[in-house]
Amino acid sequence: MSIALLPDLLISQIAAGEVIERPAAALKELVENSIDAGATHIRVDLEEGGVKLLRVTDDGGGIPADELPLALARHATSKIGNLSDLESVASLGFRGEALASIAAVSRLTLTSRTAHAAHAWQIMAQDGELGTPEPASLQTGTVIEMRDLFFNTPARRKFLKTPATEYAHCEEALRRLALARPEIGFELRNGARIVWRVEPEDAATRIHHLMGDEFRAAARPVEHRAEHLRLSGMAALPAYSRAGRDAQYLFVNGRFVRDKLLTHAVREAYRDILHHQRHPAFALFLELPFEGVDVNCHPAKTEVRFRESQGIHRFVFHTLVRVLADRADPMNAPMDAVFTPAAAVLSHAWPSGKPTQTAFALRDSTTATYRPTLPATPMGGALPFDSAWATGVTREPASEEVPPLGYALAQLGGRYILAENAHGLIIVDMHAAHERILYERLKATQGQTQQALLIPIVFAATATEMATAAEHQTALNEMSVEMHAVSPTHLAIRSLPSEIAHGNSETLARAVLHDLAQTGHSALVTAERNTLLSTLACHGAVRANHRLSVSEMNTLLRDMERTERADQCNHGRPTWQQISLSDIDKFFMQGQ
Ligand code: ADP
Ligand code: MG
């Protein structure tokens, strides 16, 4: 083939492949155009996940009739004129390729009317050919209809997923946009059905509407400014954590981003209260001067580059640590519960342990004055509160003789310890509590309590495990783990931290190597070390169905009382619950 310039349609179709890979991407581009056009209400209609139809209707400024063909031309934009504009770009779109791309791979109809026009104009595009503008009827604003996406590029069409999946991507794309723009009303329709509709509102209300009641119940407001940086939004306490990353929204100057640096800062802030296999939930908005961030480094614009990345990392991390350290939170339900009215205790603890709406309402109204100082326990250990708790009202002290978590009665279902204290029944999640205690101990004693194993544990390792062990000797030593290759295919563990020397050493070693392989470097920062310690603790802790004697159970209860933060496990769930005698009385008085 001889060299030839590509035809225009083909150029647009190639470009479209990068920008418009699925209906959700088109939705994002079109809605961003509406936002840039100053719309106050934006409506999105979908059919078959946006593949058959995606229509975006706005009440923005509209496009003048003579500019309609230009709007659909490639590299035509009203938003930047030179390179310095690019540096300080405040509008969302700026490459001037979205409409041209969509027009190249679908049947597109653009209808628009500016405020002073006598009527609207409409133009259609298909296969790179523009029709002639015709008069149409419409209020001020713009309607863009995209039909039959990829009808003329069947290869691309094959990559589309089911309508249900494409629909889900569209909804998610609109949710991101709507979270970022609470001052704009949004409506999403799927076929004839209104899926959701939000009016212009404040940011917190918008987050509540789009992330739901459960998130909201566990969420703490974030609002912090330092110099030219601002972080705002909501971050959920671990009571509302997720198995996936589906409730994580980060915005930089109003744009949704997926950014390693920010995600890392957030995860680190959650590190100590959330197990690394759980994902925190949040909607966070970072604002900084436009010069401080480059949004131009990726066409889909979900990646950004910060000029002062370290400072931003520190700012986000410290802001969140402070928010999450606020102990007047739902996660402290068990601790508070000892002192709360019976009804609230019951709604926290029964039957699933999931905190309920009622309980939160009660808490919300009382958090301000409600920070008990606790009596020291008879054996001299204090309840696991941090010093922040030492201020505020002193409540009725617990009985002099009975320790706060009481004395063990029995083991239930191989998983729970039942104990009696001055208020009634205590139920402890044995594994979770033990894991927490080990974790805190490992953190406190790391490196100092190594115990040599009488007989080294030798196990067959994969090539990756062999390599990781060799590469991370320093990190392993820091953890008091001694592990070496004894052959090209076998590793031997020779010593472990004494706290966990009795656990299942082989699975433990594998889990640690897995974690290390992910950190990628041999010296550990605190957060990484804590991740490893929590893995060690998890594998060192008593397993379900492990029989404990009453005295072992009592030892665990006393350890909990002495351990900081023992009221919640490494995974962020409560480790124990109280059911008071009066609650139990109520079970038997019902119907009287
Ligand atoms: P970009 O947004 O990068 O400028 P687009 O291809 O998305 O490029 O849009 C091209 C131009 O069309 C925009 O610069 C804008 O002037 C105009 N436009 C697109 N959508 C709208 C809309 N909903 N309301 C008003 N003008 C619009
Ligand atoms: Mg655009």
Side-chain angles (χ1 to χ4, degrees), residues 504-524:
N504 179 342
S505 309
E506 186 184 327
T507 42
L508 184 149
R510 285 185 197 283
V512 166
L513 291 173
H514 175 81
D515 282 359
L516 281 173
Q518 300 205 315
T519 69
H521 42 91
S522 61
L524 298 173

Side-chain angles (χ1 to χ4, degrees), residues 29 33 79 93-94 98:
E29 293 293 337
N33 280 346
K79 296 169 195 173
F94 51 80

Side-chain angles (χ1 to χ4, degrees), residues 336-358:
D336 294 349
V338 181
F339 305 94
T340 48
V345 174
L346 199 60
S347 60
H348 271 301
W350 200 265
S352 66
K354 268 197 186 157
T356 66
Q357 215 49 65
T358 349

Side-chain angles (χ1 to χ4, degrees), residues 234-489:
M234 300 255 187
L237 294 162
Y240 185 78
S241 67
R242 318 279 289 174
R245 293 172 213 279
D246 57 330
Q248 305 192 342
Y249 298 93
L250 280 172
F251 299 85
V252 173
N253 289 345
R255 279 172 222 269
F256 175 85
V257 298
R258 261 185 260 271
D259 181 74
K260 286 213 180 82
L261 178 94
L262 293 179
T263 310
H264 185 265
V266 174
R267 283 206 65 85
E268 239 186 282
Y270 273 94
R271 180 81 63 185
D272 251 18
I273 50 170
L274 196 66
H275 187 262
H276 58 291
Q277 275 157 9
R278 298 290 297 174
H279 296 280
F282 50 83
L284 293 170
F285 300 85
L286 177 69
E287 281 156 65
L288 71 168
F290 286 112
E291 318 84 73
V293 55
D294 182 3
V295 292
N296 193 31
C297 54
H298 189 266
K301 291 170 248 160
T302 59
E303 284 170 23
V304 289
R305 253 198 309 259
F306 296 106
R307 306 263 145 90
E308 292 168 39
S309 55
Q310 284 316 308
I312 285 168
H313 189 281
R314 275 197 301 277
F315 173 73
V316 171
F317 172 76
H318 289 297
T319 303
L320 284 177
V321 163
R322 222 167 307 146
V323 168
L324 297 170
D326 179 2
R327 306 294 303 268
D329 64 45
M331 278 319 300
N332 288 307
M335 286 304 175
D336 294 349
V338 181
F339 305 94
T340 48
V345 174
L346 199 60
S347 60
H348 271 301
W350 200 265
S352 66
K354 268 197 186 157
T356 66
Q357 215 49 65
T358 349
F360 286 122
L362 181 137
R363 183 164 315 280
D364 283 344
S365 62
T366 51
T367 38
T369 52
Y370 175 88
R371 294 198 159 199
T373 305
L374 287 155
T377 57
M379 66 287 293
L383 260 180
F385 294 114
D386 61 31
S387 56
W389 283 75
T391 54
V393 252
T394 305
R395 296 279 168 138
E396 140 208 11
S399 149
E400 287 302 281
E401 297 88 45
V402 184
L405 292 176
Y407 293 117
L409 299 170
Q411 209 175 350
L412 178 70
R415 279 181 291 154
Y416 299 105
I417 294 169
L418 305 184
E420 179 178 2
N421 71 355
H423 303 272
L425 181 66
I426 294 269
I427 306 175
V428 174
D429 179 333
M430 172 179 105
H431 172 76
H434 191 212
E435 184 177 345
R436 187 72 199 189
I437 291 165
L438 285 181
Y439 176 57
E440 293 297 337
R441 264 194 215 153
L442 286 166
K443 274 208 302 192
T445 64
Q446 47 184 288
Q448 295 159 25
T449 61
Q450 195 156 3
Q451 179 174 327
L453 304 179
L454 278 179
I455 305 163
I457 294 159
V458 178
F459 63 99
T462 65
T464 313
E465 286 167 343
M466 297 297 300
T468 310
E471 196 181 314
H472 291 87
Q473 280 299 314
T474 325
L476 287 168
N477 289 341
E478 282 176 35
M479 313 269 78
S480 311
V481 175
E482 202 187 326
M483 182 163 32
H484 294 288
V486 287
S487 81
T489 53

Side-chain angles (χ1 to χ4, degrees), residues 29-30 32-33 36 79 92-99 301:
E29 293 293 337
L30 296 181
E32 286 186 345
N33 280 346
D36 285 344
K79 296 169 195 173
L92 293 167
F94 51 80
R95 288 163 182 263
E97 57 189 4
L99 287 188
K301 291 170 248 160

Side-chain angles (χ1 to χ4, degrees), residues 29-38 56 58 60-64 67 70-73 75-80 92-101 110 112 141-144 301:
E29 293 293 337
L30 296 181
V31 172
E32 286 186 345
N33 280 346
S34 299
I35 293 172
D36 285 344
V56 175
D58 71 52
I63 305 171
E67 291 181 13
L70 214 50
L72 298 178
H75 304 305
T77 177
S78 55
K79 296 169 195 173
I80 51 172
L92 293 167
F94 51 80
R95 288 163 182 263
E97 57 189 4
L99 287 188
S101 298
L110 164 54
S112 195
T142 302
V143 182
I144 297 189
K301 291 170 248 160

